[in-house]
Amino acid sequence: VYSKKGELDTAMSYFSQAMSLLRSSGMSSNSGKETIASISSRIASIHFKKGEYEDAMNRYKEAQNLMVELKGVNHPEVAGILHYIGGIHHKHQDYEEAMTCYQEAVQIYHSTLGPEHPAVAATLVCIGSLHYKQRNLDSAMMFYREALRLNRDTYGLHHPDV
């Protein structure tokens, strides 16, 4: 709630306290690890919002490693983390690494959620943005159009994502 309200320091404090409690209690069960991965990902999101990209990357990598350990590499939660890691590379203008992350996320989403899922569309927009930034305008348009088609098919014409 605090993160949504923009009170990032307060949110960070609560997430950090929760993480400390989990780690000190020896939560090594799968559910404990999954909770740690979730909190780590939320902390990463706060770091990203604050422009603390290295800290965000470290937290996302921690979450990714735990989720791969728990769910395997071909899981939508792993794809979501890859999407966010791609966003950090994108922000740093490391377009090749960003593209690799986004493409891997799309492949996982395709195989686990289906090719028409909104998560595919969201990641296609990011791929389009990478092409746009690199002045590959025809490629950018192709990805944007596919994302638009997916969102229209899913949400209809009057949704904010369309």
Side-chain angles (χ1 to χ4, degrees):
V1 174
Y2 287 108
S3 184
K4 288 274 187 204
K5 290 172 57 178
E7 297 178 29
L8 301 180
D9 291 332
T10 303
M12 181 69 81
S13 175
Y14 281 113
F15 283 131
S16 296
Q17 288 175 39
M19 187 70 84
S20 294
L21 287 170
L22 281 168
R23 287 195 168 135
S24 67
S25 70
M27 292 282 292
S28 60
S29 68
N30 283 355
S31 65
K33 287 180 182 179
E34 194 165 345
T35 302
I36 289 171
S38 175
I39 293 171
S40 188
S41 188
R42 290 169 192 229
I43 290 172
S45 173
I46 292 169
H47 282 304
F48 185 85
K49 288 175 185 175
K50 294 173 77 175
E52 299 165 352
Y53 302 119
E54 186 176 334
D55 291 331
M57 181 67 81
N58 290 335
R59 290 300 189 143
Y60 279 132
K61 289 286 189 177
E62 177 185 14
Q64 179 187 26
N65 290 336
L66 285 169
M67 292 310 295
V68 166
E69 178 186 329
L70 293 168
K71 309 276 186 174
V73 294
N74 197 33
H75 192 276
E77 290 183 45
V78 173
I81 295 167
L82 280 167
H83 178 105
Y84 293 128
I85 290 171
I88 294 171
H89 289 301
H90 194 153
K91 198 77 163 163
H92 280 118
Q93 298 179 347
D94 186 353
Y95 298 141
E96 189 174 324
E97 278 299 313
M99 183 67 78
T100 298
C101 291
Y102 291 148
Q103 288 174 332
E104 193 174 337
V106 166
Q107 288 172 351
I108 294 169
Y109 286 141
H110 266 256
S111 67
T112 59
L113 302 175
E116 304 293 314
H117 195 276
V120 172
T123 307
L124 291 178
V125 168
C126 294
I127 292 172
S129 178
L130 284 176
H131 283 290
Y132 181 83
K133 296 242 181 189
Q134 296 175 86
R135 302 288 186 236
N136 301 326
L137 301 182
D138 290 337
S139 293
M141 186 62 76
M142 180 185 73
F143 284 99
Y144 288 147
R145 282 189 175 136
E146 179 61 9
L148 177 62
R149 183 193 68 75
L150 291 173
N151 282 328
R152 278 185 181 161
D153 290 351
T154 300
Y155 300 120
L157 295 176
H158 303 292
H159 189 275
D161 286 350
V162 175

